[in-house]
Amino acid sequence: MTRKQLTLREAFAEFAHHPTPWMLLAWVGALLAARLAVGGWSVVDVIISVALVGFSPMGEWLIHTGILHWRPRQLAGVKIDSRLARDHRLHHRDPRDIPLIFIPWRSLIVIIVGLTSLALLAPGNTGKWLTFALTIATFLVFYEWIHYLVHTDYKPRHAIYRAVWRNHRYHHFKNEKYWFTVTSSGTADRLMGTYPDPLKVKSSPTVRNLHAPTATG
């Protein structure tokens, strides 16, 4: 792909051409309608949402390290390697391949069905479970947009986004063993010891080819 200056409007126009943002928005709309229909709002709904948003950097870190960077394994003669991990390896191979930036739609269907079923069928207060699912769904819209935007040619203009942009670019173009958060920088990575000084980190030969034989750790 040829690099060019990209406006935010142009970036959004491309974003809107892909299916997963619309799937997520439809899911948010359905969950919101269900939550409004159930009613029974309380301060607990606020606590649930704030807690989930506060946990989101750690959630990103855990998913990125444990699921997306999963090393294929053999278990009883069966290869264990998820679609998410395989697609993420392709994403590292070509970080500018736009379709690979988005959550795979098949995996997203599993997430939607799983969390919606949990919200509707779990014991306890259905409204609070719907708030739980709605917060995650809304955050995923935000995640999808930020992750996409970082991989485009849109140049950051504000300090907060510039830090997020730099953090994720280090992960893809300098060393895949660090900088695992996507929508924030210096949060969970700092807590988990994966936020080093970039000037002191050697460029990884496997940043584009995860789990290649030369990889260590």
Side-chain angles (χ1 to χ4, degrees), residues 138-152:
T138 304
F139 177 79
L140 285 176
V141 175
F142 173 69
Y143 171 91
E144 200 79 321
W145 167 245
I146 294 298
H147 187 219
Y148 157 79
L149 196 62
V150 166
H151 283 277
T152 69

Side-chain angles (χ1 to χ4, degrees), residues 2 26 33 50 71 86 91 95 164 206 216:
T2 303
V50 170
R71 287 177 177 270
R86 295 196 304 272
H91 175 47
V164 171
T206 56
T216 59

Side-chain angles (χ1 to χ4, degrees), residues 12 15-16 18-31 56 60 101-103 108 111-112 115 133-149 182-183:
F12 182 79
F15 181 75
H18 296 269
T20 53
W22 295 106
M23 292 169 65
L24 286 167
L25 286 172
W27 186 32
V28 168
L31 288 172
S56 62
E60 287 181 2
I101 294 170
F102 295 94
I103 300 169
L108 183 57
I111 294 170
I112 290 172
L115 276 176
L134 176 59
T135 303
I136 292 175
T138 304
F139 177 79
L140 285 176
V141 175
F142 173 69
Y143 171 91
E144 200 79 321
W145 167 245
I146 294 298
H147 187 219
Y148 157 79
L149 196 62
V182 176
T183 61

Side-chain angles (χ1 to χ4, degrees), residues 117-139:
S117 298
L118 174 67
L120 297 176
L121 301 176
N125 189 308
T126 300
K128 300 304 180 278
W129 280 110
L130 284 169
T131 296
F132 176 85
L134 176 59
T135 303
I136 292 175
T138 304
F139 177 79

Side-chain angles (χ1 to χ4, degrees), residues 8-215:
L8 197 60
R9 183 187 295 272
E10 290 170 334
F12 182 79
E14 173 67 25
F15 181 75
H17 276 93
H18 296 269
T20 53
W22 295 106
M23 292 169 65
L24 286 167
L25 286 172
W27 186 32
V28 168
L31 288 172
L32 179 59
R35 183 65 188 91
L36 291 172
V38 170
W41 298 89
S42 73
V43 68
V44 177
D45 293 279
V46 177
I47 293 172
I48 290 170
S49 295
V50 170
L52 285 171
V53 171
F55 180 73
S56 62
M58 195 67 225
E60 287 181 2
W61 193 95
L62 291 170
I63 291 170
H64 203 160
T65 58
I67 297 176
L68 301 184
H69 280 243
W70 169 269
R71 287 177 177 270
R73 293 169 172 84
Q74 291 285 338
L75 182 60
V78 178
K79 186 177 183 180
I80 309 299
D81 191 21
S82 72
R83 174 65 181 266
L84 283 170
R86 295 196 304 272
D87 281 358
H88 194 69
R89 291 196 292 272
L90 293 175
H91 175 47
H92 265 268
R93 189 175 294 276
D94 186 1
R96 293 176 58 76
D97 188 331
I98 297 297
L100 290 173
I101 294 170
F102 295 94
I103 300 169
W105 66 266
R106 293 178 182 84
S107 300
L108 183 57
I109 289 174
V110 173
I111 294 170
I112 290 172
V113 172
L115 276 176
T116 304
S117 298
L118 174 67
L120 297 176
L121 301 176
N125 189 308
T126 300
K128 300 304 180 278
W129 280 110
L130 284 169
T131 296
F132 176 85
L134 176 59
T135 303
I136 292 175
T138 304
F139 177 79
L140 285 176
V141 175
F142 173 69
Y143 171 91
E144 200 79 321
W145 167 245
I146 294 298
H147 187 219
Y148 157 79
L149 196 62
V150 166
H151 283 277
T152 69
D153 290 324
Y154 175 74
K155 302 303 180 187
R157 298 181 180 180
H158 303 287
I160 294 177
Y161 175 64
R162 187 158 51 245
V164 171
W165 180 89
R166 186 181 301 114
N167 190 79
H168 197 60
R169 293 243 166 178
Y170 282 147
H171 176 75
H172 273 284
F173 297 105
K174 188 171 183 65
N175 196 306
E176 77 280 11
K177 301 177 182 67
Y178 305 103
W179 306 293
F180 288 103
T181 57
V182 176
T183 61
S184 64
S185 65
T187 50
D189 279 309
R190 194 183 299 275
L191 179 66
M192 301 304 291
T194 52
Y195 192 71
D197 180 347
L199 297 178
K200 298 179 179 178
V201 175
K202 293 182 179 180
S203 295
S204 168
T206 56
V207 71
R208 294 290 189 93
N209 187 13
L210 302 184
H211 318 317
T214 53

